[in-house]
Amino acid sequence: MQQKVKKGVKMVKQELKEREEVEAEINTVKSWIQETKEYLLSPDTEVDTQLQELQSLLGEVTTHRQAVEKMAEQQQNKYLGLYTILPSELSLHLAEVGLALVTVQDQIQTKERETQQIKTLNQEFGQKIQGVANELNAILSKLKKRTNDIAQAKLEQKILGEELDSCNIKLLELDASVQDFAEQNALLAKQLANRIGKLTALHQQTIRQAEYRAAKLSQAASHLEEYNEMLEFILKWIEKANILVHGSITWNSSSQLRDQFKAYQTMLDESGEIHGDLEAMSEKIEYLASVYCTEGMSQQVLELGRRTEELQQVIKVRLPNLQDAAKDMKKFEVELRALQAALEQAQATLTSPELGHLSLKEQLSHRQHLLSEMESLKPKVQAVQVCQSALRIPEEVVTGLPMCHSALRLQEEASRLQHTAIQQCNIMQASEGYNVKLKSFKNRLDKLLVNL
């Protein structure tokens, strides 16, 4: 009997121990369920991390359910072996924890689905945000590009403006959707709102760039037109200046030299505007540089400045030479005309038919007077020679000038006239001596005849 009692006590202790172990396992599961519920109610974390944790929890809840089901089956079999039923309290605890596991599993699955939906929505939002960002960056890139065709650029500007308006509508729609999304996941909504904020800033930057470019393009056409007008003027000046400086100088007369001097002076005066035009063209290039391809234009202005400077220097060197040559030629012409007038007068006197009506003595006296007057031709000839030698004209040109040929001819004519006058005087003087002797002989003859 005593042994039976001991055995009974031992069995009770064993039962109590096993019961405590089962209760401990049940409590462990209950604690896990409580922690899981608290986790499911906690604020949202990063989506991918949350999905990983939820998938891990699903694995754990499945393990716990299997463990509880196995525990319930073991306890059921145990008490059947003892020909008794499972204690109601234990059965209730097992049923409660089993039901709680089913409930929490449903909650985890629901949370996982919601989180996956949130992830999908977040990805969709991200794709839309990235899409708008790509559009804005593409527009911004196009706005920064320079053109060779202002008219075409204005058309493209209009299209880009329409694309910007479309981006603005998409941004407003995105912002409204994200505000609604905040009810599902405040953390992600905040992150998305920050991205949209940056995108809005990019949109505003793009708008400013578009407005800047539109303002530049609106003025670019007039600036380009003014640039081309100045360019045309300078090119025409260079063409005319090239023709002038590479053409031959005509040295034949003072009037021609003066005309050429005036032409050079006019060309130099016209070039006075070119320096200012080149500076204005550089300013136009600077204005156009943000919207128009100006590299070739900058090089063009430098080349125009170089060519203009070279031509101006040639003109400045030639101007005083032409002026000096014109002055010298004028003096030469004055002296030459004076010599020619004196020669013509002497020639006219020497060949005058009225001299034939005078007596031989009167003719001799007249020619002697003319001969003395012709002495005054020498200073005139010398003056012509001095002026000719003082001409500031290239030596190789001087010998071929018609004026110099005329000077030589007049000098020879002066010498010839003087020689002719001397010969005529000598002849008349001889004739006058013969006449005197003849008259004396006649007088003596008359006297002899009287005496007879």
Side-chain angles (χ1 to χ4, degrees):
M1 183 70 180
Q2 190 176 8
Q3 288 180 347
K4 287 183 178 181
V5 171
K6 286 182 178 180
K7 186 178 180 180
V9 171
K10 186 178 179 180
M11 289 177 64
V12 169
K13 288 182 178 179
Q14 181 66 30
E15 172 65 20
L16 289 173
K17 182 180 178 182
E18 291 178 359
R19 181 76 64 85
E20 287 176 356
E21 291 175 353
V22 170
E23 290 291 343
E25 290 183 16
I26 290 173
N27 288 334
T28 298
V29 174
K30 284 182 176 179
S31 297
W32 181 88
I33 291 171
Q34 182 60 35
E35 290 174 359
T36 301
K37 286 182 176 180
E38 290 174 357
Y39 170 78
L40 294 175
L41 294 173
S42 65
D44 298 326
T45 58
E46 200 275 324
V47 174
D48 290 331
T49 302
Q50 192 172 37
L51 280 173
Q52 290 177 357
E53 291 175 351
L54 288 171
Q55 288 168 359
S56 176
L57 288 174
L58 280 174
E60 291 177 19
V61 76
T62 300
T63 301
H64 284 309
R65 282 190 65 185
Q66 291 173 348
V68 170
E69 289 173 358
K70 184 178 180 181
M71 190 190 306
E73 184 179 355
Q74 287 174 346
Q75 292 298 313
Q76 189 73 33
N77 291 336
K78 172 186 172 181
Y79 284 100
L80 283 176
L82 296 174
Y83 302 102
T84 182
I85 60 173
L86 186 66
S88 60
E89 184 180 359
L90 182 57
S91 175
L92 179 61
H93 286 171
L94 286 170
E96 285 177 349
V97 76
L99 182 60
L101 284 170
V102 171
T103 301
V104 80
Q105 186 176 30
D106 290 342
Q107 291 174 343
I108 293 170
Q109 290 174 338
T110 300
K111 185 70 172 179
E112 184 189 31
R113 285 193 300 272
E114 290 175 353
T115 304
Q116 187 61 51
Q117 289 175 351
I118 288 171
K119 181 180 179 180
T120 301
L121 280 174
N122 184 52
Q123 289 175 340
E124 290 176 357
F125 280 128
Q127 289 172 355
K128 289 179 180 179
I129 290 172
Q130 189 59 48
V132 175
N134 291 340
E135 287 183 46
L136 287 173
N137 283 321
I139 294 171
L140 193 58
S141 177
K142 290 177 183 178
L143 288 171
K144 291 179 179 180
K145 284 184 179 179
R146 295 183 294 173
T147 183
N148 284 316
D149 188 337
I150 298 296
Q152 180 63 30
K154 286 184 176 180
L155 292 176
E156 292 173 356
Q157 182 78 14
K158 184 179 180 181
I159 294 172
L160 292 176
E162 293 171 355
E163 292 178 3
L164 265 177
D165 291 340
S166 174
C167 287
N168 185 48
I169 293 171
K170 291 176 182 178
L171 274 173
L172 293 174
E173 292 174 347
L174 269 173
D175 187 57
S177 298
V178 167
Q179 289 181 19
D180 293 339
F181 180 64
E183 297 177 3
Q184 301 179 48
N185 192 304
L187 179 63
L188 282 179
K190 184 177 179 181
Q191 294 174 355
L192 290 170
N194 289 337
R195 291 181 65 185
I196 291 175
K198 292 178 180 179
L199 200 59
T200 302
L202 178 61
H203 180 256
Q204 291 300 318
Q205 178 190 351
T206 309
I207 288 176
R208 288 192 296 272
Q209 182 66 28
E211 291 172 346
Y212 171 81
R213 189 168 189 264
K216 286 286 185 179
L217 285 174
S218 66
Q219 298 295 325
S222 61
H223 282 287
L224 193 59
E225 183 179 356
E226 291 170 7
Y227 176 93
N228 287 328
E229 287 175 356
M230 290 184 282
L231 173 63
E232 183 181 5
F233 169 77
I234 295 173
L235 288 174
K236 285 183 177 179
W237 183 88
I238 289 174
E239 182 182 4
K240 291 189 296 181
N242 266 320
I243 293 171
L244 183 65
V245 302
H246 290 100
S248 299
I249 295 177
T250 303
W251 307 91
N252 293 337
S253 66
S254 61
S255 61
Q256 289 176 327
L257 287 167
R258 281 197 303 273
D259 289 343
Q260 290 171 94
F261 172 81
K262 290 177 182 178
Y264 272 80
Q265 186 63 57
T266 300
M267 195 63 64
L268 187 62
D269 292 342
E270 288 180 1
S271 72
E273 302 177 18
I274 292 178
H275 181 70
D277 284 349
L278 289 172
E279 288 184 350
M281 289 169 75
S282 295
E283 292 174 2
K284 302 295 181 188
I285 291 171
E286 186 177 351
Y287 182 90
L288 291 166
S290 60
V291 293
Y292 195 76
C293 298
T294 58
E295 290 78 7
M297 296 168 70
S298 299
Q299 186 61 36
Q300 187 179 51
V301 169
L302 290 174
E303 180 63 18
L304 289 173
R306 184 189 64 79
R307 292 170 63 189
T308 301
E309 180 65 23
E310 289 177 354
L311 290 167
Q312 283 177 328
Q313 289 305 315
V314 173
I315 292 171
K316 287 177 181 178
V317 169
R318 288 191 182 176
L319 267 174
N321 294 340
L322 286 169
Q323 190 174 34
D324 292 340
K327 290 178 180 178
D328 294 346
M329 186 61 78
K330 182 65 177 176
K331 292 179 182 178
F332 186 40
E333 289 171 350
V334 168
E335 294 299 336
L336 204 57
R337 281 195 295 270
L339 176 59
Q340 185 175 6
L343 285 173
E344 288 175 353
Q345 184 178 357
Q347 179 74 23
T349 302
L350 197 61
T351 59
S352 174
E354 294 179 359
L355 287 177
H357 301 298
L358 298 176
S359 67
L360 190 62
K361 186 177 181 179
E362 289 174 338
Q363 288 185 42
L364 178 59
S365 176
H366 194 278
R367 278 174 169 75
Q368 286 176 339
H369 178 71
L370 176 62
L371 189 59
S372 64
E373 285 185 352
M374 287 182 71
E375 288 296 323
S376 64
L377 289 177
K378 290 182 179 179
K380 289 182 171 57
V381 170
Q382 289 175 351
V384 168
Q385 291 173 341
V386 169
C387 287
Q388 181 174 337
S389 62
L391 287 174
R392 281 170 282 187
I393 291 174
E395 292 182 6
E396 64 274 12
V397 175
V398 172
T399 55
L401 288 176
M403 295 289 292
C404 291
H405 289 295
S406 297
L408 181 61
R409 180 180 57 79
L410 289 176
Q411 291 174 49
E412 292 173 349
E413 180 67 18
S415 179
R416 187 187 64 78
L417 280 176
Q418 191 174 22
H419 182 69
T420 301
I422 291 171
Q423 283 183 332
Q424 288 181 354
C425 284
N426 289 337
I427 291 170
M428 287 183 178
Q429 281 177 346
S431 298
E432 179 65 20
Y434 175 77
N435 287 337
V436 169
K437 289 178 180 181
L438 183 60
K439 187 176 181 182
S440 176
F441 176 75
K442 184 180 179 183
N443 290 333
R444 287 198 303 269
L445 183 61
D446 286 341
K447 287 179 180 181
L448 286 172
L449 291 174
V450 170
N451 292 329
L452 291 173

